[in-house]
Amino acid sequence: MKKDFFKKAWYFIWYDDSLLSWFVNVIIAFILVKFILYPGIGFFLGTSHPLVAVVSCSMEHNLDFDIWWENKGKWYEENIISKEKFSKFPFKNGINQGDIMVLKNGEEIIVGDIIVFNSKSSNPIIHRAVQKNKDGFMTKGDNNIVLDNGITRDVIGKAFFRIPYLGWIKIAFNGLIGQGIIKC
């Protein structure tokens, strides 16, 4: 009797073409990703948020690095970060709205790293660490004119890999549920 139940369930999940079977498959996929895959990747990479979607334009360059530097590099030069030094930073050409960033443990952060940190808003922020002191980091979006307010202490992780465009799925879903889309 137990064997029959499992055979029927297996057939229902893998071979049945009904709408109910499709719905059950979506629920199973969601549960596997949300409660097994995502936490497993987070455990392996040492962060609670191993994948984050970039929802704003604060890190976009939209231009060739040299042209971007002419327009936005003044702040960095005034704060002892030369063009040569910046060109060696990770993601020197910025990151775009709609990218997915893969994060790892943020314990060994240096100036120039792109970090994700908790903020007073509901969403974490992804910006570049531009100054470091004993209390934490000062951060700035590459596309922003000024530093972020305050010192960042609550680091979720450090970006080390970018998956272009895949984050638009989250951005579109946020638009559907009324959270709005940040227009660049």
Side-chain angles (χ1 to χ4, degrees), residues 8-32 173:
K8 287 179 182 177
W10 184 264
Y11 179 84
F12 176 74
I13 291 169
W14 292 103
Y15 301 107
D16 194 331
D17 286 333
S18 70
L19 187 59
L20 182 59
S21 173
W22 181 85
F23 182 73
V24 168
N25 273 284
V26 169
I27 298 296
I28 290 171
F30 175 79
I31 290 169
L32 288 173
F173 185 74

Side-chain angles (χ1 to χ4, degrees), residues 63 95 163 173 176:
L63 304 166
I95 54 178
I163 305 168
F173 185 74
L176 287 174

